[in-house]
């Protein structure tokens, strides 16, 4: 199948020009002016932006968590991602304590294979690591899994102690791979939670009030310090607060390889959402929690000045009905996580470019290029260049839509609410091409599950 995109404005993390793009055998093969070759499909992109497909490096599809399973599986979650202009996800395989990480990888391959609308990779969540199994991390690199997530939160579930952190970090550094860190002091937080429940504080807002930003900042500081000694790049996931950002900035100013992502929920939602009527606040129970609004300006500054490199979603949806409701009467039983994979590109474009906070190039960098570089996908993914995979979005910068669970242009996620309900956004992914195949045409899905492939990722490059 060949595709010719005509008359578009091509925008990458560094370029901005008008050109036509010819796609053949899944790749961009020619970029030039007034191309006239024959193609199976011709797309007129006049007045539109032609940008690299989005890369969301942090999702949890079909994830067992909090006594239930996230509501999107690899079929529904990747379809929703495609609708939103994302053509690559990096999800997480989870090692079961006492078992092999390679076994976990097989389990997650079985969940995803043949079901996805777009390409995907895996990070490996390590929950324990004895010396006699650490060699598995060499095999994982050969299998294309070149990053790990470690948790300082959720004691008794995904938490690992500092000794394990150090052991895994050392080995990851030797293998030139990357550590993704959920940085919060989970041990102290659990004590605060116990105390709150004993005092009868059970509503959803107490999820946030028991997770102070200081405990996120302490986790970030400790994670970076251990990573510095272990000599490994560390990427702080879902960074939510100004306190935590300060720690990343301090480390980077000292020349430490510390990186961070934030998520739309921390840029556009805030603590006041926990004050909604009745149990509604449960929709926003995620970890870290939503913060006081003033943090948002500092997160945007972190993005503008490069201390935060990427915007992921941490998409981990649970339906309000039956799933979030598991925590009625006890906030600690509300499954942690929220939806967002479909709305990331429009939210960031609207809040970033339309509202004058970031440039178009920065928009592409934050939503695609930077994650491709960090996680060993660049330049196949994350840019538009001859030889790159033809993962391309035709983005209409003028189209307006209202995000709503009832708007099929903006909500195809398998979850019964949208965290951004009622938000009006300008900037919509209208046509989405994944490895040369049109999978979204005028906002409608025209692909099929199984179009996506597992990506064996390489090593990180800065
Ligand atoms: O609340 C969240 N973030 N749920 C998903 C698991 C995680 O910590 O990333
Ligand atoms: Zn996390
Ligand atoms: Zn997560």
């Amino acid at each position: 199948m060949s595709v010719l995109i005509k008359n578009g404005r091509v925008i990458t993390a560094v370029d901005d020009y008008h050109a036509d793009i010819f796609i053949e055998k899944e790749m961009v093969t020619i970029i030039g002016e007034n191309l006239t070759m024959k193609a199976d499909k011709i797309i007129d992109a006049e007045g539109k932006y032609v940008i690299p497909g989005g890369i969301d490096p942090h999702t949890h599809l079909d994830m067992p968590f909090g006594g239930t399973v996230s509501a999107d599986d690899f079929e529904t979650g990747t379809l929703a991602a495609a609708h939103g202009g994302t053509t690559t996800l990096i999800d997480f395989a989870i090692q079961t304590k006492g078992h092999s990480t390679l076994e976990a990888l097989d389990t997650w391959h079985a969940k995803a294979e043949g079901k996805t609308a777009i390409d995907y990779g895996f990070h490996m969540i390590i929950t324990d690591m004895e010396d006699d199994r650490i060699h598995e991390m060499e095999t994982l690199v050969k299998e294309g899994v070149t990053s790990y997530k470690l948790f300082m939160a959720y004691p008794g579930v995904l938490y690992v102690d500092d000794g394990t952190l150090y052991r895994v970090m050392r080995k990851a550094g030797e293998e030139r791979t990357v550590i993704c860190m959920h940085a919060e002091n989970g041990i102290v937080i659990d004590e605060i939670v116990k105390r709150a429940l004993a005092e009868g504080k059970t509503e959803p807002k107490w999820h946030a009030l028991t997770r102070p930003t200081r405990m996120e900042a302490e986790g970030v500081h400790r994670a970076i310090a251990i990573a510095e000694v272990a000599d490994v790049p560390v990427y702080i996931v879902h960074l939510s607060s100004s306190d935590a950002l300060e720690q990343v900035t301090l480390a980077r100013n000292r020349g430490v390889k510390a990186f961070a992502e934030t998520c739309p929920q921390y840029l556009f939602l805030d603590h006041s959402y926990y004050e909604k009527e009745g149990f509604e606040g449960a929709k926003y129970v995620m970890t870290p929690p939503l913060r006081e609004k003033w943090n948002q300006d500092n997160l945007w500054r972190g993005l503008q000045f490069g201390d935060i490199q990427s915007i992921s979603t941490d998409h981990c949806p649970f339906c309000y009905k039956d799933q979030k409701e598991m925590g009625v009467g006890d906030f600690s039983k509300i499954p942690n996580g929220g939806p967002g994979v479909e709305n990331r590109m429009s939210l960031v474009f609207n809040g970033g470019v339309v509202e004058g906070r970031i440039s178009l190039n920065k928009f592409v960098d934050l939503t695609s290029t930077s994650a491709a570089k960090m996680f060993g996908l660049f330049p196949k993914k994350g840019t538009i260049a001859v030889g790159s995979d033809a993962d391309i979005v035709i983005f209409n910068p003028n189209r307006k839509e209202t995000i709503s669970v009832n708007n099929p242009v903006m909500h195809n996620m398998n979850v019964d609410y949208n965290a951004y309900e009622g938000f009006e956004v300008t900037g919509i992914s209208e046509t989405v091409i994944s490895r040369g195949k049109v999978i979204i045409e005028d906002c409608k899905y025209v692909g099929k599950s199984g179009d996506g492939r597992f990506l064996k990722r390489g090593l990180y490059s800065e």
Side-chain angles (χ1 to χ4, degrees), residues 188-198 210-211 331-332:
V188 173
I189 286 168
D190 261 20
E191 291 300 319
I192 306 173
V193 168
K194 260 190 262 168
R195 212 184 154 112
L197 288 172
T210 53
R211 305 185 93 90
F331 70 86
S332 72

Side-chain angles (χ1 to χ4, degrees), residues 58 60 149-151 153-154 181-184 237-238 287-288 314:
H58 187 156
H60 301 278
K149 186 175 179 188
L150 296 167
F151 286 81
Y154 312 129
M181 184 61 74
H182 181 132
E184 275 187 310
V237 295
H238 48 46
T287 302
D314 192 11

